[in-house]
Amino acid sequence: MARTLTSRRTTLIAGVAITSLVLTASPAAATATPAQIATSKANGVVYLKSLQAANGSYAGSGLSNEWVFSAFAAAGTAAADVSPGGDTTKNARKVYRTHLSAAGWPSGSPVVTDYERGALNAYAAGIDPARVSASRNLIADIYGYWQTAEAGYFGPSANYNGTVFAALALGGAKTQTGAQRVPQALLDKVITRVRANQHNDGGWNYSKAEGNPSQLAAASDIDMTGASMAALCVSGVPATDPDIVQAKAFLKSKLVVGSGAFNAMFGANTNSNGWAVSGLNACGINPQTGDFLTAAGKTPLDFLIAQQFNPGGGFKYLPGDTAPNAYASIDGLRAVAGGGFTAAPPTPVTAGEAKWVAQSGFTAGTAARLALTVDDGTGAVKVCSVTLTPTGTTTTLGDVLTAATGAATPSGCVTSVTPSSGTGTITAVNGKANSGGSTWKVSVDGSAFAPAARSKVINVGDTIALKYGS
């Protein structure tokens, strides 16, 4: 299993508790009220703020707390407003952006979930994930793990979670204006893979199940069912879709009548329940009504709020724990606050801090990456990360496509372009020429497709989609 979820699964198995104030847990109440939810959010934010390091960081090596940004955003707190001791020069967003921009990040042996985790949390922190710095484009980094031989998977297909979190990042991390930045044709390929991994019982787990009858017949788990539901919904699948309905039924079958908890593989716990509720949230399914209100009048939010220490705000991992756990507190707060696996950043209240921060242009002479898809109209979408070294603050579509012929990951995204130089209209890509009303068109960051020309200006972080058709 890839690193993003290994850390969390390790936490689930170990049930690690961290030192905190001595607090008392409040009992669950039937159907959490708006006032209870508001109190839970406020206290949860206070606790998560207490986890910030003196240098302003939440991220680092090992089991870091960077998922805190998704919880903050869901709860309405801007990362730029979170500063140690009020020192705004060390605000959490600024420090996290520096962390993601470092040449040595994430490690010497990165995996796709490193970049997916970064994209989801950068977005929630108000950092455009495609424009972290002149040399860091997290969307392009994810594109580089596209599996050409198994289109729709990101990273080794055996690590199914890498594909799920690709969908969450690419579908969930919108542009600064709230638009879907990646083409639907790409997301449709991922949707197909997520559907193919749904187990017979309606849920999912961390292992690849596609094409394996024994795996498809194996028991699903709460965690990955929530994440997979969210992956489908942020990619455009409606909550009324039969696969979402089946997943919803699976979660309902795991409800514990007396507490409202979902009975997960490791027993009722905050992390698993948080992921399940976040999946419901992402699909617009109310976790407190209908199928998720038990005969005893309990809901999953009742369970989560009962897991929270008040007024301290931290959440415990297991019902019997006596101290809060950082990961449980992040997963619990994000779910109670109504979040999926990321959330649009709130506008900061700190003077001088904008809702978004982003690199404004290329740095001449500094290698950069751009995300590119090529759809020839046959359904065979090619996806790659293109590396190029701009000579100015902008570049052109022609230069990007030229670079893609020799510096794309995976390779083969672009093999030829006509014309191969100049500024004119692009008449052929990969040997497929314009014909009649069918021509090559280009879209940037989800904009409407327009005729593709080599002279088209490309800015830092642009997500480029080429498409052939009428």
Side-chain angles (χ1 to χ4, degrees):
M1 183 171 60
R3 189 170 304 146
T4 296
L5 301 180
T6 301
S7 298
R8 306 173 82 71
R9 178 60 74 181
T10 301
T11 304
L12 292 176
I13 295 171
V16 178
I18 64 174
T19 302
S20 184
L21 300 174
V22 177
L23 307 164
T24 57
S26 60
T31 309
T33 66
Q36 287 175 312
I37 293 171
T39 297
S40 176
K41 288 164 59 176
N43 290 343
V45 166
V46 169
Y47 175 76
L48 294 186
K49 285 182 176 180
S50 76
L51 301 179
Q52 188 177 28
N55 66 357
S57 178
Y58 280 99
S61 60
L63 300 177
S64 69
N65 293 326
E66 64 191 293
W67 282 103
V68 72
F69 296 111
S70 64
F72 276 143
T77 295
D81 292 331
V82 179
S83 303
D87 185 353
T88 58
T89 65
K90 299 178 181 177
N91 78 67
R93 178 172 69 180
K94 180 178 180 180
V95 173
Y96 188 48
R97 186 183 183 190
T98 299
H99 173 76
L100 294 175
S101 300
W105 183 87
S107 70
S109 302
V111 293
V112 66
T113 47
D114 291 328
Y115 301 109
E116 293 159 356
R117 180 183 70 247
L120 288 163
N121 285 292
Y123 175 75
I127 305 165
D128 188 326
R131 299 172 175 87
V132 179
S133 70
S135 58
R136 176 66 66 205
N137 179 339
L138 293 165
I139 303 302
D141 288 333
I142 295 170
Y143 270 37
Y145 287 82
W146 175 263
Q147 300 298 293
T148 303
E150 295 180 283
Y153 281 110
F154 285 85
S157 62
N159 292 331
Y160 166 66
N161 58 296
T163 296
V164 168
F165 275 77
L168 290 171
L170 298 178
K174 309 295 187 184
T175 66
Q176 294 179 41
T177 60
Q180 178 179 300
R181 76 173 75 224
V182 305
Q184 189 61 42
L186 183 159
L187 293 177
D188 286 344
K189 294 293 185 183
V190 183
I191 288 170
T192 297
R193 294 300 188 178
V194 174
R195 292 187 192 277
N197 279 278
Q198 188 170 25
H199 291 209
N200 300 341
D201 61 11
W204 289 263
N205 65 29
Y206 292 86
S207 301
K208 179 184 178 183
E210 181 180 5
N212 187 329
S214 63
Q215 283 295 323
L216 291 169
S220 298
D221 199 11
I222 298 302
D223 310 55
M224 212 59 194
T225 296
S228 296
M229 290 177 70
L232 289 174
C233 289
V234 302
S235 298
V237 175
T240 54
D241 183 271
D243 288 338
I244 298 297
V245 172
Q246 289 182 56
K248 181 180 172 183
F250 168 76
L251 290 180
K252 179 183 178 181
S253 75
K254 296 296 182 179
L255 271 176
V256 178
V257 173
S259 67
F262 293 112
N263 189 20
M265 184 179 295
F266 298 96
N269 67 80
T270 298
N271 300 68
S272 296
N273 277 257
W275 279 37
V277 171
S278 285
L280 294 171
N281 290 339
C283 290
I285 299 170
N286 191 330
Q288 290 217 95
T289 60
D291 290 335
F292 301 104
L293 177 62
T294 75
K298 302 293 185 181
T299 74
L301 288 197
D302 288 327
F303 172 74
L304 289 172
I305 291 176
Q307 290 286 92
Q308 188 177 27
F309 293 92
N310 285 304
F315 289 72
K316 51 190 173 181
Y317 166 63
L318 294 172
D321 290 344
T322 59
N325 174 276
Y327 294 99
S329 299
I330 292 168
D331 289 341
L333 176 60
R334 184 176 59 234
V336 170
F341 287 81
T342 192
T347 300
V349 297
T350 302
E353 292 292 343
K355 182 175 181 178
W356 292 99
V357 291
Q359 178 74 18
S360 60
F362 293 109
T363 298
T366 297
R369 283 184 164 189
L370 291 168
L372 172 67
T373 56
V374 180
D375 180 356
D376 67 1
T378 67
V381 180
K382 295 187 176 184
V383 180
C384 61
S385 175
V386 181
T387 300
L388 74 162
T389 303
T391 58
T393 56
T394 65
T395 188
T396 65
L397 178 60
D399 285 347
V400 172
L401 297 181
T402 297
T405 62
T409 305
S411 61
C413 191
V414 177
T415 56
S416 64
V417 182
T418 304
S420 59
S421 62
T423 61
T425 298
I426 292 172
T427 58
V429 178
N430 296 341
K432 188 158 191 173
N434 293 348
S435 178
S438 294
T439 61
W440 284 100
K441 299 176 177 64
V442 64
S443 166
V444 171
D445 281 355
S447 65
F449 281 90
R454 289 188 63 90
S455 59
K456 166 73 175 176
V457 174
I458 299 297
N459 294 291
V460 65
D462 283 351
T463 298
I464 305 164
L466 279 180
K467 180 180 180 180
Y468 181 84
S470 57

PDB file of all heavy atoms in Angstrom, residues 245-261:
ATOM      1  N   VAL A 245     -25.290   3.881  -4.833  1.00  0.00           N
ATOM      2  CA  VAL A 245     -26.402   3.329  -4.058  1.00  0.00           C
ATOM      3  C   VAL A 245     -25.976   2.019  -3.384  1.00  0.00           C
ATOM      4  O   VAL A 245     -26.293   1.773  -2.215  1.00  0.00           O
ATOM      5  CB  VAL A 245     -27.631   3.112  -4.959  1.00  0.00           C
ATOM      6  CG1 VAL A 245     -28.727   2.365  -4.203  1.00  0.00           C
ATOM      7  CG2 VAL A 245     -28.152   4.456  -5.469  1.00  0.00           C
ATOM      8  N   GLN A 246     -25.238   1.187  -4.105  1.00  0.00           N
ATOM      9  CA  GLN A 246     -24.743  -0.068  -3.515  1.00  0.00           C
ATOM     10  C   GLN A 246     -23.769   0.207  -2.374  1.00  0.00           C
ATOM     11  O   GLN A 246     -23.791  -0.471  -1.336  1.00  0.00           O
ATOM     12  CB  GLN A 246     -24.059  -0.910  -4.587  1.00  0.00           C
ATOM     13  CG  GLN A 246     -24.989  -1.514  -5.616  1.00  0.00           C
ATOM     14  CD  GLN A 246     -24.226  -2.386  -6.611  1.00  0.00           C
ATOM     15  OE1 GLN A 246     -23.527  -3.306  -6.225  1.00  0.00           O
ATOM     16  NE2 GLN A 246     -24.361  -2.060  -7.888  1.00  0.00           N
ATOM     17  N   ALA A 247     -22.899   1.181  -2.571  1.00  0.00           N
ATOM     18  CA  ALA A 247     -21.937   1.528  -1.524  1.00  0.00           C
ATOM     19  C   ALA A 247     -22.645   2.069  -0.290  1.00  0.00           C
ATOM     20  O   ALA A 247     -22.273   1.757   0.854  1.00  0.00           O
ATOM     21  CB  ALA A 247     -20.944   2.562  -2.058  1.00  0.00           C
ATOM     22  N   LYS A 248     -23.649   2.870  -0.518  1.00  0.00           N
ATOM     23  CA  LYS A 248     -24.446   3.404   0.583  1.00  0.00           C
ATOM     24  C   LYS A 248     -25.101   2.257   1.363  1.00  0.00           C
ATOM     25  O   LYS A 248     -25.120   2.262   2.601  1.00  0.00           O
ATOM     26  CB  LYS A 248     -25.500   4.345   0.009  1.00  0.00           C
ATOM     27  CG  LYS A 248     -26.401   5.017   1.023  1.00  0.00           C
ATOM     28  CD  LYS A 248     -27.392   5.930   0.301  1.00  0.00           C
ATOM     29  CE  LYS A 248     -28.445   6.471   1.241  1.00  0.00           C
ATOM     30  NZ  LYS A 248     -29.445   7.307   0.521  1.00  0.00           N
ATOM     31  N   ALA A 249     -25.607   1.270   0.653  1.00  0.00           N
ATOM     32  CA  ALA A 249     -26.223   0.109   1.310  1.00  0.00           C
ATOM     33  C   ALA A 249     -25.193  -0.680   2.116  1.00  0.00           C
ATOM     34  O   ALA A 249     -25.486  -1.192   3.202  1.00  0.00           O
ATOM     35  CB  ALA A 249     -26.885  -0.793   0.270  1.00  0.00           C
ATOM     36  N   PHE A 250     -23.964  -0.771   1.580  1.00  0.00           N
ATOM     37  CA  PHE A 250     -22.908  -1.461   2.327  1.00  0.00           C
ATOM     38  C   PHE A 250     -22.635  -0.751   3.642  1.00  0.00           C
ATOM     39  O   PHE A 250     -22.546  -1.378   4.702  1.00  0.00           O
ATOM     40  CB  PHE A 250     -21.624  -1.538   1.494  1.00  0.00           C
ATOM     41  CG  PHE A 250     -20.428  -1.964   2.280  1.00  0.00           C
ATOM     42  CD1 PHE A 250     -20.251  -3.295   2.642  1.00  0.00           C
ATOM     43  CD2 PHE A 250     -19.475  -1.033   2.704  1.00  0.00           C
ATOM     44  CE1 PHE A 250     -19.156  -3.691   3.405  1.00  0.00           C
ATOM     45  CE2 PHE A 250     -18.390  -1.422   3.460  1.00  0.00           C
ATOM     46  CZ  PHE A 250     -18.226  -2.753   3.812  1.00  0.00           C
ATOM     47  N   LEU A 251     -22.504   0.574   3.592  1.00  0.00           N
ATOM     48  CA  LEU A 251     -22.255   1.318   4.817  1.00  0.00           C
ATOM     49  C   LEU A 251     -23.417   1.157   5.795  1.00  0.00           C
ATOM     50  O   LEU A 251     -23.214   0.971   7.003  1.00  0.00           O
ATOM     51  CB  LEU A 251     -22.028   2.789   4.507  1.00  0.00           C
ATOM     52  CG  LEU A 251     -20.719   3.144   3.789  1.00  0.00           C
ATOM     53  CD1 LEU A 251     -20.643   4.647   3.538  1.00  0.00           C
ATOM     54  CD2 LEU A 251     -19.502   2.688   4.592  1.00  0.00           C
ATOM     55  N   LYS A 252     -24.618   1.209   5.297  1.00  0.00           N
ATOM     56  CA  LYS A 252     -25.792   1.029   6.166  1.00  0.00           C
ATOM     57  C   LYS A 252     -25.734  -0.321   6.883  1.00  0.00           C
ATOM     58  O   LYS A 252     -26.081  -0.420   8.063  1.00  0.00           O
ATOM     59  CB  LYS A 252     -27.069   1.135   5.338  1.00  0.00           C
ATOM     60  CG  LYS A 252     -28.343   0.929   6.160  1.00  0.00           C
ATOM     61  CD  LYS A 252     -29.589   0.975   5.289  1.00  0.00           C
ATOM     62  CE  LYS A 252     -30.837   0.723   6.115  1.00  0.00           C
ATOM     63  NZ  LYS A 252     -32.067   0.739   5.267  1.00  0.00           N
ATOM     64  N   SER A 253     -25.261  -1.348   6.174  1.00  0.00           N
ATOM     65  CA  SER A 253     -25.202  -2.682   6.769  1.00  0.00           C
ATOM     66  C   SER A 253     -24.191  -2.773   7.905  1.00  0.00           C
ATOM     67  O   SER A 253     -24.228  -3.718   8.692  1.00  0.00           O
ATOM     68  CB  SER A 253     -24.865  -3.724   5.693  1.00  0.00           C
ATOM     69  OG  SER A 253     -23.486  -3.665   5.324  1.00  0.00           O
ATOM     70  N   LYS A 254     -23.288  -1.796   7.983  1.00  0.00           N
ATOM     71  CA  LYS A 254     -22.249  -1.802   9.016  1.00  0.00           C
ATOM     72  C   LYS A 254     -22.589  -0.911  10.209  1.00  0.00           C
ATOM     73  O   LYS A 254     -21.791  -0.801  11.142  1.00  0.00           O
ATOM     74  CB  LYS A 254     -20.917  -1.342   8.403  1.00  0.00           C
ATOM     75  CG  LYS A 254     -20.372  -2.271   7.319  1.00  0.00           C
ATOM     76  CD  LYS A 254     -20.037  -3.638   7.878  1.00  0.00           C
ATOM     77  CE  LYS A 254     -19.461  -4.552   6.818  1.00  0.00           C
ATOM     78  NZ  LYS A 254     -19.106  -5.894   7.370  1.00  0.00           N
ATOM     79  N   LEU A 255     -23.758  -0.278  10.199  1.00  0.00           N
ATOM     80  CA  LEU A 255     -24.136   0.602  11.295  1.00  0.00           C
ATOM     81  C   LEU A 255     -24.362  -0.175  12.592  1.00  0.00           C
ATOM     82  O   LEU A 255     -24.982  -1.239  12.598  1.00  0.00           O
ATOM     83  CB  LEU A 255     -25.413   1.366  10.949  1.00  0.00           C
ATOM     84  CG  LEU A 255     -25.282   2.706  10.229  1.00  0.00           C
ATOM     85  CD1 LEU A 255     -26.665   3.246   9.901  1.00  0.00           C
ATOM     86  CD2 LEU A 255     -24.497   3.706  11.056  1.00  0.00           C
ATOM     87  N   VAL A 256     -23.867   0.386  13.683  1.00  0.00           N
ATOM     88  CA  VAL A 256     -24.100  -0.164  15.013  1.00  0.00           C
ATOM     89  C   VAL A 256     -25.284   0.600  15.602  1.00  0.00           C
ATOM     90  O   VAL A 256     -25.213   1.823  15.793  1.00  0.00           O
ATOM     91  CB  VAL A 256     -22.855  -0.002  15.904  1.00  0.00           C
ATOM     92  CG1 VAL A 256     -23.130  -0.531  17.308  1.00  0.00           C
ATOM     93  CG2 VAL A 256     -21.656  -0.710  15.272  1.00  0.00           C
ATOM     94  N   VAL A 257     -26.357  -0.111  15.893  1.00  0.00           N
ATOM     95  CA  VAL A 257     -27.606   0.532  16.287  1.00  0.00           C
ATOM     96  C   VAL A 257     -27.444   1.425  17.512  1.00  0.00           C
ATOM     97  O   VAL A 257     -27.924   2.555  17.561  1.00  0.00           O
ATOM     98  CB  VAL A 257     -28.702  -0.524  16.546  1.00  0.00           C
ATOM     99  CG1 VAL A 257     -29.960   0.132  17.126  1.00  0.00           C
ATOM    100  CG2 VAL A 257     -29.035  -1.258  15.258  1.00  0.00           C
ATOM    101  N   GLY A 258     -26.727   0.942  18.512  1.00  0.00           N
ATOM    102  CA  GLY A 258     -26.662   1.654  19.779  1.00  0.00           C
ATOM    103  C   GLY A 258     -25.836   2.917  19.778  1.00  0.00           C
ATOM    104  O   GLY A 258     -26.073   3.820  20.591  1.00  0.00           O
ATOM    105  N   SER A 259     -24.849   3.009  18.848  1.00  0.00           N
ATOM    106  CA  SER A 259     -23.943   4.165  18.865  1.00  0.00           C
ATOM    107  C   SER A 259     -23.966   4.997  17.595  1.00  0.00           C
ATOM    108  O   SER A 259     -23.532   6.151  17.600  1.00  0.00           O
ATOM    109  CB  SER A 259     -22.503   3.693  19.098  1.00  0.00           C
ATOM    110  OG  SER A 259     -22.049   2.933  17.984  1.00  0.00           O
ATOM    111  N   GLY A 260     -24.445   4.422  16.487  1.00  0.00           N
ATOM    112  CA  GLY A 260     -24.386   5.107  15.208  1.00  0.00           C
ATOM    113  C   GLY A 260     -23.061   4.937  14.497  1.00  0.00           C
ATOM    114  O   GLY A 260     -22.862   5.476  13.410  1.00  0.00           O
ATOM    115  N   ALA A 261     -22.144   4.202  15.084  1.00  0.00           N
ATOM    116  CA  ALA A 261     -20.837   3.961  14.470  1.00  0.00           C
ATOM    117  C   ALA A 261     -20.950   2.963  13.326  1.00  0.00           C
ATOM    118  O   ALA A 261     -21.883   2.164  13.271  1.00  0.00           O
ATOM    119  CB  ALA A 261     -19.864   3.431  15.511  1.00  0.00           C
TER     120      ALA A 261
END
